[in-house]
Amino acid sequence: MNILKKAAGKILYGIAKLLSVVLDVFIKVVEAIVTVLGNVTKGLIAFIGMGGCLLLFIFSGPLGFLLLMNPLVLFAILFFVIFPLLGTKFVSYLKYIKYIVTEFLFDRARYLIDGISYQFESFSEYKDKYRRMEEERKRREQQQRWNEQQRVWEERFRQWSEYQRQNSGYSDYEWYGQNAGNSNQNMYQDPTIEFKKKYEESCDLLGVKYDADKYEIKLAYRKKAKEYHPDLNKSPDATVMFQKINNAYEFLSDSNIERYRRMS
């Protein structure tokens, strides 16, 4: 009986391994297609932008009507516009299916081969684990973006402070003489105006006052994020708006709140 169980487990493990490889290859192919079509679509949009008036003239006339009535033209438009948008979600769904199916099969195979207990009893528990993993991945990416954003701002303010310190002893005439012909003198610009503009735009996006504290900002963020979450809001611009809301919330960090207050 144990021999049969182990044999069945090895067969099941082989099936899971093969399925994992096949899905990995398929996912990579779909990702490549989505990336290529996305780049082509961006190029077409740029091309249309350069010759927008001419294209508008063509498509507004009888020739444009005939072109739009052609099934091949309609298919091409839908393919290059819709597929890159849906393709990303399709890739995410494929990764989700790959994880829950292969993990389920690998667990059953290990149980038959070595008697190791299952991680979970049902598919739904594997689904929950995958969602938790994705949420953790997104949190890590968000933290990395925030760290990089803070690093860039800190470096800009440091460079500006150093630039001011080095040139604080010169009169305007002397400073010009010292820096005449120096192509680097325009590299260091006061980042204060840009920082305040970005901060206030982020507050406007979340609908909070400029002197709002972290608690008020967090409440506003949760409300806005729920309103524009793509799973709840089906409007075409929901995904873009949701990303803008996340970016604004990332920018309104404790250190940036304190920096803005010192500027005010």
Side-chain angles (χ1 to χ4, degrees), residues 18-168:
L18 177 62
L19 185 61
S20 178
V21 171
V22 169
L23 286 174
D24 273 337
V25 171
F26 185 58
I27 288 169
K28 283 182 174 27
V29 169
V30 174
E31 280 183 319
I33 294 171
V34 170
T35 301
V36 170
L37 288 179
N39 291 333
V40 170
T41 301
K42 289 177 183 177
L44 288 173
I45 291 172
F47 177 73
I48 290 170
M50 289 187 292
C53 294
L54 177 61
L55 288 170
L56 182 64
F57 175 77
I58 292 172
F59 279 100
S60 63
L63 179 60
F65 178 77
L66 291 174
L67 286 172
L68 291 175
M69 290 299 293
N70 188 314
L72 290 176
V73 174
L74 284 174
F75 176 78
I77 292 172
L78 291 174
F79 185 74
F80 283 104
V81 174
I82 304 261
F83 188 80
L85 297 175
L86 298 181
T88 304
K89 292 186 177 181
F90 183 53
V91 168
S92 298
Y93 184 71
L94 284 174
K95 290 179 179 178
Y96 164 71
I97 292 296
K98 172 187 175 287
Y99 177 82
I100 62 173
V101 172
T102 56
E103 283 297 304
F104 180 87
L105 294 177
F106 280 132
D107 269 0
R108 269 58 189 171
R110 283 189 289 265
Y111 172 74
L112 292 172
I113 296 170
D114 300 318
I116 300 173
S117 299
Y118 310 146
Q119 286 187 71
F120 306 111
E121 293 292 334
S122 64
F123 267 120
S124 62
E125 291 174 293
Y126 287 94
K127 293 176 183 178
D128 291 339
K129 182 181 178 182
Y130 183 82
R131 291 194 183 99
R132 290 195 299 271
M133 288 168 55
E134 282 296 288
E135 287 170 2
E136 180 60 29
R137 180 184 63 80
K138 289 176 182 177
R139 276 195 295 270
R140 287 198 304 269
E141 290 177 352
Q142 185 180 46
Q143 185 63 40
Q144 288 172 355
R145 287 195 303 270
W146 182 85
N147 289 340
E148 178 61 20
Q149 185 182 85
Q150 290 301 109
R151 188 194 65 78
V152 170
W153 281 108
E154 290 293 340
E155 180 63 16
R156 290 186 62 185
F157 277 105
R158 187 197 66 76
Q159 289 180 347
W160 176 246
S161 178
E162 180 68 15
Y163 177 73
Q164 286 184 308
R165 186 186 66 79
Q166 290 177 354
N167 294 282
S168 60

